[in-house]
Amino acid sequence: MCGIVGYVGPGSSLDVLLGGLKRLEYRGYDSAGVAVLADDGTIGSRKRAGKLGVLVDELDAAPITDGRTGIGHTRWATHGGPTDVNAHPHFGDGGRLAVIHNGIIENFAELKAELIADGEVFESETDTEVAALLIGRAFRETGDVTAAMQQAVARLEGAFTLLALHADAPGVVVGARRSSPLVIGLGEGENFLGSDVAAFVEHTRRAMEIGEDQIVTIRPDRVDVTDFSGAPAQAKEFEIAWDASAAEKGGWPSFMKKEISEEPEAVANTLRGRVHDGAVTLPELDEVAGMLGDVNRVLILACGTAAYAGMLGKYAIEAWARIPVDVELSHEFRYRDPVLDERTLVVSVSQSGETMDTLMAVRYARDRGARTLSICNTQGATIPRESDAVLYTHAGPEVAVASTKAFVAQVTALYLLGLHLATLRGTLAAPDVAGVIAELESVPAKLSTVVESASARIAELAHWMSDTQSVLFLGRHVGFPVALEGALKLKELAYIHAEGFAAGELKHGPIALIEPGQIVFVVVPSPRDPSSLHKKVVSNIQEIRARGARVIAIAELGDVAVVPFADEVIRIPLAAPFFEPLLTVVPLHIFGMELATAKGLDVDQPRNLAKSVTVE
Ligand code: M6R
């Protein structure tokens, strides 16, 4: 949570900081602030509760002198409510040192008591101010921001990214990171720091990863990276795979609408270069081929939407590669003494690659000997860096807080992994692999059809239901994770009570919820599927219809069996069972977005949430 940007160079710090914060606002949006060191050696700062626009208005009303060294922050409150005073930056050394922070300093209470006893006065309720005062005191001793940062971080426990600038050090911004994201942007005569590359991609596509427990000092003409003790450290350079326009709305009314329209492309890009002549080629997994051949169990760890993608991955990997697969919420995993060994492959799924719950679960698994593979959408993020191997999804930057295109890309990557394992283990014959690949390759065009054909009708339904209090979602087999995803989207976007159920579970309790008028979305399996699931789900529909439910069925073209029992049928193109979820999920993404829009809510930045959850 929290977005961080730092700049040194000849340009306008304010332009760079505000542009970076705009692109990082998805990380947190309850307050924002900047500090800029002007050429006359004074630090100008403004910080305000509310979205970034409030800060921009404040800067218009009460401008500060621009300069060539600056830091900016957009906040998701942890310690202390979202107020002007608690907004970042915070100050040390009598206001001559400005600090911004992402994460949680776990020992802040002890440190605060110690600092108060030593005569320091706190203005805010934040843990960040402890760091600001510690770095400020260390600067008074050392006269050097990097050395001061080193001294201060030695006292801090928890997860943090800190950026600091000092009035006596023009052209210097120092960053430190422990279990919290920070990347470097390398420019010509200017350099940048950001929580992720979106902070500076408008200015440069050259970036560098910073490792765990490292400190970076940027100047206009150089970048120095050390560990926390000051020993020089290596940082890996990479090229950002997308340009700034990919993270702009580009005329769409919301990022979410744009990102739903990009779902076909997200699947196509995740497949690109990885399927040839009916076979899967994943060169990024070559180095770990031995390990993959040896695996006897897969454990998928993820949270939220990524965990629902993981459930689909389980069904496919078990069916194709015949390996037992478990899916677990990352935050539950390490607190139950799980059984792991070197033949367990832990697959983490994370759009951001920074979700703290998932990062901690991966570290736990790795420390206990498991092999780790990351499925991630964000280059240079912590989870892929700390994993044995990474399979990047290529969904492009996802800015809306609710995940949409990343979900279909994650499912695609998990399916590729399933096919890769099946090929390595010889559990699927080459023609069967080729058949599955042909299905996968047909998904983007089918997805485009769904986006085009379903959008208008779903928008009408959503507007008609704008005062609905509760919506249920049912699905079975691969339709079940889709039902969960539909319910999550509605909760987080439209603030409506929503539940997703396995349709077969209904009779074990949830059917008691059905009363006249209850809206129920049902994800209907294909009638062409040889299993009897279609008939069973149609029976479930009749059961709830008999009790007064209003049923919206999502069913394939030509499925006439659902028509007599549904109030509305949303059609999807024909696909084999494993590929239906990639299509049936789209109407539910659109529904959540349209219902939130009908209620006048901000679909890109729902209340209380942040895109990247970097606290446990
Ligand atoms: O970045 P990650 O994929 O690790 O994020 C996981 C969840 O926090 C995320 O999917 C969340 O549930 C979204 N709000 C869903 O729309």
Side-chain angles (χ1 to χ4, degrees):
M1 344 266 246
C2 299
I4 276 183
V5 55
Y7 175 70
V8 286
S12 153
S13 283
L14 275 173
D15 283 355
V16 173
L17 300 180
L18 293 176
L21 291 181
K22 184 78 213 138
R23 282 187 301 278
L24 291 181
E25 204 183 6
Y26 68 85
R27 299 181 65 88
Y29 33 83
D30 58 39
S31 45
V34 291
V36 172
L37 177 55
D39 288 348
D40 64 4
T42 58
I43 295 178
S45 176
R46 293 285 179 269
K47 50 184 195 167
R48 290 297 303 271
K51 292 193 174 173
L52 184 60
V54 180
L55 175 69
V56 172
D57 290 347
E58 169 79 4
L59 283 163
D60 285 344
I64 57 174
T65 308
D66 206 347
R68 290 176 275 192
T69 311
I71 53 178
H73 188 265
T74 177
R75 179 170 188 244
W76 186 85
T78 54
H79 291 64
T83 61
D84 290 351
V85 172
N86 289 334
H88 300 208
H90 292 279
F91 293 88
D93 195 16
R96 296 183 62 72
L97 173 109
V99 169
I100 55 177
H101 164 224
N102 174 28
I104 291 181
I105 296 167
E106 286 170 0
N107 59 338
F108 94 101
E110 299 99 276
L111 292 170
K112 186 169 181 173
E114 179 189 313
L115 287 163
I116 289 173
D118 213 20
E120 297 286 0
V121 176
F122 280 77
E123 289 178 1
S124 75
E125 301 156 282
T126 64
D127 50 346
T128 307
E129 204 175 353
V130 163
L133 291 169
L134 282 176
I135 303 169
R137 287 160 77 98
F139 184 89
R140 285 202 291 269
E141 271 175 40
T142 60
D144 179 81
V145 195
T146 309
M149 182 69 89
Q150 242 178 59
Q151 268 192 30
V153 293
R155 307 277 331 266
L156 304 180
E157 289 167 16
F160 49 83
T161 301
L162 292 162
L163 294 196
L165 62 79
H166 195 282
D168 293 349
V172 176
V173 171
V174 177
R177 75 169 288 260
R178 167 175 287 167
S179 300
S180 186
L182 183 63
V183 282
I184 309 168
L186 302 169
E188 296 296 327
E190 58 183 356
N191 288 305
F192 309 82
L193 292 170
S195 302
D196 69 47
V197 297
F200 48 73
V201 67
E202 189 184 353
H203 306 282
T204 179
R205 288 175 65 178
R206 284 176 58 219
M208 257 173 144
E209 297 173 351
I210 305 173
E212 183 66 354
D213 284 1
Q214 291 186 347
I215 291 179
V216 54
T217 305
I218 58 167
R219 297 181 173 80
D221 55 353
R222 59 184 282 187
V223 168
D224 297 292
V225 182
T226 68
D227 64 17
F228 274 5
S229 69
Q234 292 297 319
K236 193 169 134 208
E237 191 174 328
F238 64 96
E239 165 129 4
I240 303 166
W242 45 273
D243 64 21
S245 65
E248 308 283 341
K249 265 193 217 163
W252 290 87
S254 64
F255 277 107
M256 188 168 179
K257 195 159 195 168
K258 174 180 179 242
E259 288 160 10
I260 290 173
S261 82
E262 290 169 349
E263 291 195 36
E265 208 180 315
V267 172
N269 288 343
T270 301
L271 288 177
R272 183 157 297 123
R274 289 168 165 166
V275 284
H276 301 282
D277 302 329
V280 173
T281 319
L282 298 174
E284 54 273 71
L285 302 188
D286 281 355
E287 273 185 37
V288 291
M291 147 192 141
L292 292 181
D294 205 31
V295 158
N296 65 3
R297 177 179 167 230
V298 175
L299 180 56
I300 299 177
L301 298 175
C303 303
T305 287
Y308 305 147
M311 289 170 72
L312 292 169
K314 167 186 165 76
Y315 296 154
I317 297 170
E318 286 191 340
W320 297 335
R322 310 305 299 154
I323 307 178
V325 183
D326 293 308
V327 184
E328 195 156 345
L329 294 171
S330 316
H331 38 87
E332 286 295 312
F333 166 68
R334 70 192 175 110
Y335 297 101
R336 61 168 182 78
D337 199 9
V339 178
L340 295 163
D341 62 31
E342 66 287 352
R343 294 188 70 193
T344 307
L345 175 66
V346 166
V347 179
S348 61
V349 186
S350 174
Q351 188 286 132
S352 61
E354 299 292 351
T355 299
M356 183 61 80
D357 291 315
T358 304
L359 173 63
M360 290 305 178
V362 168
R363 284 185 183 161
Y364 179 96
R366 191 193 55 198
D367 292 348
R368 276 151 191 82
R371 309 307 185 85
T372 55
L373 190 156
S374 152
I375 292 185
C376 181
N377 195 44
T378 310
Q379 286 174 285
T382 309
I383 297 172
R385 272 212 321 272
E386 296 198 12
S387 299
D388 294 316
V390 53
L391 196 53
Y392 279 111
T393 49
H394 296 301
E398 192 178 63
V399 178
V401 165
S403 194
T404 54
K405 64 176 179 173
F407 173 80
V408 291
Q410 286 162 349
V411 174
T412 305
L414 283 159
Y415 284 6
L416 287 173
L417 176 65
L419 288 174
H420 185 68
L421 289 170
T423 306
L424 280 176
R425 296 162 63 87
T427 47
L428 271 190
D432 295 331
V433 172
V436 173
I437 288 172
E439 279 281 352
L440 254 181
E441 287 180 305
S442 72
V443 166
K446 291 177 186 170
L447 262 171
S448 297
T449 310
V450 182
V451 175
E452 278 160 32
S453 63
S455 293
R457 184 60 188 143
I458 301 261
E460 276 172 20
L461 287 174
H463 283 256
W464 162 69
M465 291 182 206
S466 60
D467 57 357
T468 300
Q469 300 295 313
S470 158
V471 180
L472 304 182
F473 294 81
L474 302 183
R476 204 157 174 165
H477 183 232
V478 290
F480 174 38
V482 174
L484 295 173
E485 168 67 357
L488 175 60
K489 287 289 104 90
L490 206 56
K491 283 184 260 206
E492 66 180 337
L493 291 166
Y495 319 150
I496 288 177
H497 171 257
E499 295 287 337
F501 295 110
E505 186 66 8
L506 210 61
K507 56 191 177 295
H508 298 286
I511 197 163
L513 290 169
I514 305 292
E515 56 186 27
Q518 171 68 55
I519 293 165
V520 185
F521 276 81
V522 184
V523 181
V524 184
S526 165
R528 296 168 301 116
D529 184 38
S531 76
S532 55
L533 274 186
H534 176 264
K535 281 199 186 69
K536 293 208 163 84
V537 170
V538 173
S539 299
N540 294 145
I541 294 178
Q542 293 178 56
E543 287 153 18
I544 56 172
R545 203 52 190 326
R547 289 160 177 84
R550 302 179 73 150
V551 174
I552 303 171
I554 303 178
E556 76 172 25
L557 284 165
D559 178 357
V560 288
V562 288
V563 175
F565 312 111
D567 295 274
E568 182 79 31
V569 183
I570 306 292
R571 295 293 182 184
I572 57 152
L574 273 58
F578 280 121
F579 307 95
E580 285 168 10
L582 291 165
L583 308 177
T584 51
V585 77
V586 176
L588 302 187
H589 285 164
I590 298 173
F591 181 69
M593 174 186 69
E594 292 292 354
L595 194 43
T597 307
K599 290 180 74 176
L601 301 172
D602 182 341
V603 295
D604 287 338
Q605 297 179 341
R607 70 183 178 202
N608 304 339
L609 295 177
K611 180 79 180 157
S612 190
V613 186
T614 52
V615 293
E616 268 193 280

